[in-house]
Amino acid sequence: MSAPEVEVPRRSRRRDRSPEARPKPRPVRSVLSVLIVLLVVAALVGTFWIFRPLVATSGSSSLGIEVEGRPGAVLVVKLDAPVNNSQMGRHVIVSGTGRQIVAGGPVLLAVSTFDGSTGKVTGKETGPALLAGRADDELLTPDLLSGIIGATEGSRILFVRNTSTGTEKSSEIAVVDILPTAPTGKSKMKPVGAPAWVEAPYQPGKIIDVDPAKLQEVWAAQVVTGEGDQVSKGDTVIGQYLIYDPVEKKVLESTWENGGFPVQIPVVDIMAPVAAELVDSPVGSRVLTVVPANLGNGKDPLIILVDVLALVKAG
């Protein structure tokens, strides 16, 4: 379908070209020409999280652990000293204001791990591991699951654990960012002459104001423009999506109708008009694309909505 400078968002525009839970498998495979599946366990920790319960803190200064970097980006951890037993446990260093995480509900996490003695990365150096799907024990280890239930999107939580074995002393710090499962950028006004639009920019996708006379050529716009990393051609978007048939007046596929669980959307595998608009769109965006029949399923024009929530970068 897991930090980087803020990129300048592209303008919404009319393309100048002639016509040329776990979500269940449905028509999207043939419509988008891509197998979209839940992003389950990424390379994370192979052992269970075991912590002493601690009262959550509101900042990292009292811990002597400083975390630098935007949620979902490459992070840096700085330590005043190697962590000790008094620091073990769960610590909330940023309390988000978004949707509350509930057991069995949608969740999108970016997890970065560091050595508790040096602050050096022990996980992916290119960025956090992304975990997306249903908040349950099939996706998350028991203590990580219990540690994020009740927390809110936008939160940053530190998990500090003792990883010592025998006489060898060691510890690990996991920084868990609870990422939004909805767009977070600036909403746009409906462009004059738009062939379709979206009812509410930050709510589950619903297509409105369809003009059947304007569905014969590619048209695309950002309903919401984010402020995160920009999508590149080889990336995989972690996001939500909807495919609407304006002729039949029905939804062909929707992650929101399947529980709102984020999925993988490999840019190289989707239809060219959709991919063209996704490329360069920043994380946090909501992108709307009209695809004429000859570039889509060969039968009816399609209206496709994609929320760009996070990225698995190419390579």
Side-chain angles (χ1 to χ4, degrees):
M1 358 296 62
S2 349
E5 66 265 9
V6 175
E7 304 286 353
V8 179
R10 296 157 58 204
R11 296 183 296 113
S12 299
R13 64 199 180 281
R14 190 183 182 100
R15 292 202 176 269
D16 182 18
R17 63 173 88 175
S18 23
E20 21 148 12
R22 288 106 177 141
K24 298 178 181 179
R26 293 174 63 185
V28 66
R29 288 190 173 91
S30 57
V31 172
L32 283 182
S33 301
V34 55
L35 176 62
I36 298 180
V37 294
L38 285 177
L39 177 64
V40 288
V41 183
L44 189 51
V45 267
T47 54
F48 288 107
W49 295 90
I50 302 175
F51 303 118
R52 295 188 298 115
L54 293 182
V55 175
T57 59
S58 59
S60 59
S61 57
S62 62
L63 292 173
I65 302 172
E66 182 179 354
V67 181
E68 297 179 351
R70 286 189 305 140
V74 176
L75 303 182
V76 174
V77 163
K78 296 180 180 179
L79 305 177
D80 289 348
V83 298
N84 56 53
N85 286 337
S86 68
Q87 295 167 299
M88 301 296 167
R90 172 186 181 274
H91 309 271
V92 178
I93 61 173
V94 175
S95 293
T97 58
R99 182 185 62 87
Q100 187 176 57
I101 305 303
V102 298
V107 69
L108 176 55
L109 305 179
V111 182
S112 304
T113 55
F114 304 86
D115 186 287
S117 297
T118 64
K120 292 184 178 179
V121 174
T122 58
K124 294 172 58 181
E125 294 188 357
T126 56
L130 293 173
L131 298 175
R134 186 187 300 270
D136 61 16
D137 56 10
E138 290 189 20
L139 179 68
L140 307 173
T141 58
D143 288 299
L144 183 54
L145 176 62
S146 65
I148 58 100
I149 295 299
T152 49
E153 293 181 346
S155 296
R156 173 169 286 176
I157 304 174
L158 292 187
F159 293 95
V160 187
R161 65 169 185 157
N162 189 332
T163 55
S164 300
T165 56
T167 59
E168 185 176 344
K169 303 298 181 182
S170 63
S171 57
E172 187 172 63
I173 301 166
V175 182
V176 178
D177 285 318
I178 305 179
L179 303 180
T181 52
T184 55
K186 183 178 180 180
S187 63
K188 303 293 185 180
M189 297 292 292
K190 178 185 174 183
V192 175
W197 202 239
V198 180
E199 183 175 62
Y202 303 105
Q203 299 301 317
K206 182 177 180 180
I207 305 301
I208 60 172
D209 297 341
V210 176
D211 185 343
K214 296 180 179 178
L215 303 176
Q216 308 311 310
E217 62 181 46
V218 174
W219 181 92
Q222 290 178 1
V223 179
V224 175
T225 299
E227 296 183 338
D229 285 348
Q230 287 181 307
V231 179
S232 298
K233 186 175 180 180
D235 294 346
T236 294
V237 170
I238 309 303
Q240 308 269 17
Y241 72 92
L242 173 146
I243 305 169
Y244 180 76
D245 184 329
V247 176
E248 298 293 335
K249 297 183 180 180
K250 68 178 182 181
V251 174
L252 300 179
E253 182 72 16
S254 170
T255 55
W256 293 284
E257 290 189 357
N258 285 339
F261 302 107
V263 296
Q264 293 189 65
I265 307 172
V267 176
V268 296
D269 292 337
I270 61 180
M271 289 184 294
V274 181
E277 185 61 21
L278 284 179
V279 169
D280 293 338
S281 293
V283 169
S285 297
R286 169 169 283 189
V287 179
L288 182 68
T289 308
V290 172
V291 180
N294 66 313
L295 297 178
N297 61 8
K299 178 187 174 185
D300 295 329
L302 300 173
I303 300 174
I304 299 175
L305 185 68
V306 178
D307 287 352
V308 182
L309 305 177
L311 293 177
V312 177
K313 299 300 290 183

